[in-house]
Amino acid sequence: MTYCCGILVRDGLVMIADTRTNAGLDNISTFRKLYLYERPGERVLMLAASGNLSVTQSVVNLVTDGIEDHESGVFESVMNAPNMLHAAQLVGRAVRISRAQVGSAEGEPAAQGVNFDVSLLLGGQIAGGPLRLFMIYTAGNSIECTPDTNYLQIGEHKYGKPILDRAVNFDTDIYDALKIGLISMDSTIRSNLSVGMPIDIALLRRDALQIEVATRIGVNDHYFNDLRESWSQALREAHMAIPKPPYTGRDA
């Protein structure tokens, strides 16, 4: 399992992904799940992947190396897509191709008991177009993030969702969005063993067309460890400050 989220605010886009991949309690590995494509001044795209590892890695290879257009013979990749919508459609094509190839190699998925489902987040900006964030599903179709619901999640999202619902909106400062996203990730890591560190993060300002932050947060990162403890302390203080429930006796 995994947890990835993309937060789209007025200032720009934040992407966060864990790196844990497991095929059972005794088979845990670290794999990158956040991929960055950049040509400064012309385009920046960020791709986060969740689901069957063989499928997601195939998708990444296809959108990086390109998918051949049989009519023109041109290989289409995220680095030559004319706009973000076309790039999202390209990722959808790559998902369908990869699932068909992996399923054909392994036999009928249902018969093998293998889950070939995947989901991906694609965000970024191409010169001449707006900053956009998409979620691509197993079937290859997609939805787009909007200012009304300005974040998207994939993977083990339920533990981190309440924090994003309460604390982030389209007008949130971009570094506050990063902080809230990291709290969301910490809450998920604490509640689900299939999500784990290190964490990859990336930050892109609107119209900058150049990545401002791209780094990996490890287990010894001082800021993240302080954030975890500060959030835990803030929760303890908040619940202690709320009056005790007044309910007594029985009325039913």
Side-chain angles (χ1 to χ4, degrees):
M1 204 56 176
T2 189
Y3 176 51
C4 309
C5 71
I7 306 173
L8 184 67
V9 294
R10 192 177 303 279
D11 294 338
L13 174 66
V14 171
M15 296 279 279
I16 304 173
D18 86 313
T19 55
R20 177 166 293 178
T21 299
N22 67 297
L25 293 177
D26 60 349
N27 187 12
I28 298 174
S29 303
T30 297
F31 282 93
R32 175 173 292 276
K33 302 172 189 176
L34 178 61
Y35 303 88
L36 307 179
Y37 303 87
E38 180 182 25
R39 188 176 294 135
E42 196 267 322
R43 70 182 59 215
V44 176
L45 296 94
M46 308 173 181
L47 181 67
S50 169
N52 183 280
L53 186 62
S54 60
V55 176
T56 58
Q57 288 193 340
S58 175
V59 169
V60 170
N61 289 334
L62 284 172
V63 301
T64 302
D65 297 338
I67 301 173
E68 185 177 8
D69 184 306
H70 296 296
E71 292 185 3
S72 64
V74 174
F75 280 82
E76 298 179 312
S77 75
V78 291
M79 293 305 291
N80 61 22
N83 53 61
M84 286 301 300
L85 177 59
H86 190 94
Q89 293 170 338
L90 180 69
V91 173
R93 285 176 56 199
V95 170
R96 292 190 293 271
I97 293 170
S98 298
R99 292 187 77 243
Q101 289 176 340
V102 173
S104 175
E106 298 291 338
E108 187 64 30
Q112 299 294 324
V114 178
N115 186 344
F116 288 88
D117 289 345
V118 297
S119 53
L120 302 102
L121 298 178
L122 177 70
Q125 187 170 14
I126 296 173
L131 180 66
R132 303 175 79 172
L133 174 62
F134 296 88
M135 180 191 296
I136 297 95
Y137 294 96
T138 296
N141 56 322
S142 65
I143 62 170
E144 183 173 3
C145 190
T146 70
D148 292 327
T149 303
N150 67 307
Y151 69 86
L152 294 172
Q153 302 169 284
I154 55 175
E156 193 59 71
H157 63 274
K158 57 182 176 289
Y159 301 104
K161 187 176 189 300
I163 295 162
L164 298 177
D165 283 339
R166 289 178 179 271
V168 72
N169 60 61
F170 189 66
D171 293 316
T172 300
D173 173 82
I174 192 167
Y175 278 91
D176 282 338
L178 175 57
K179 176 175 62 178
I180 295 164
L182 290 174
I183 294 172
S184 173
M185 176 64 75
D186 173 55
S187 298
T188 305
I189 290 173
R190 284 177 177 267
S191 299
N192 193 301
L193 291 175
S194 70
V195 178
M197 298 183 75
I199 302 164
D200 290 323
I201 64 172
L203 185 150
L204 171 66
R205 284 195 182 270
R206 191 179 298 270
D207 298 325
L209 296 174
Q210 185 169 345
I211 293 173
E212 184 168 326
V213 175
T215 192
R216 173 166 286 189
I217 298 173
V219 294
N220 296 319
D221 185 89
H222 294 299
Y223 175 81
F224 187 72
N225 289 331
D226 287 345
L227 176 143
R228 303 181 83 168
E229 181 53 36
S230 296
W231 179 246
S232 296
Q233 181 63 28
L235 288 176
R236 289 191 291 267
E237 293 174 356
H239 90 74
M240 291 298 292
I242 298 173
K244 292 182 179 180
Y247 314 116
T248 60
R250 296 177 57 179
D251 58 5

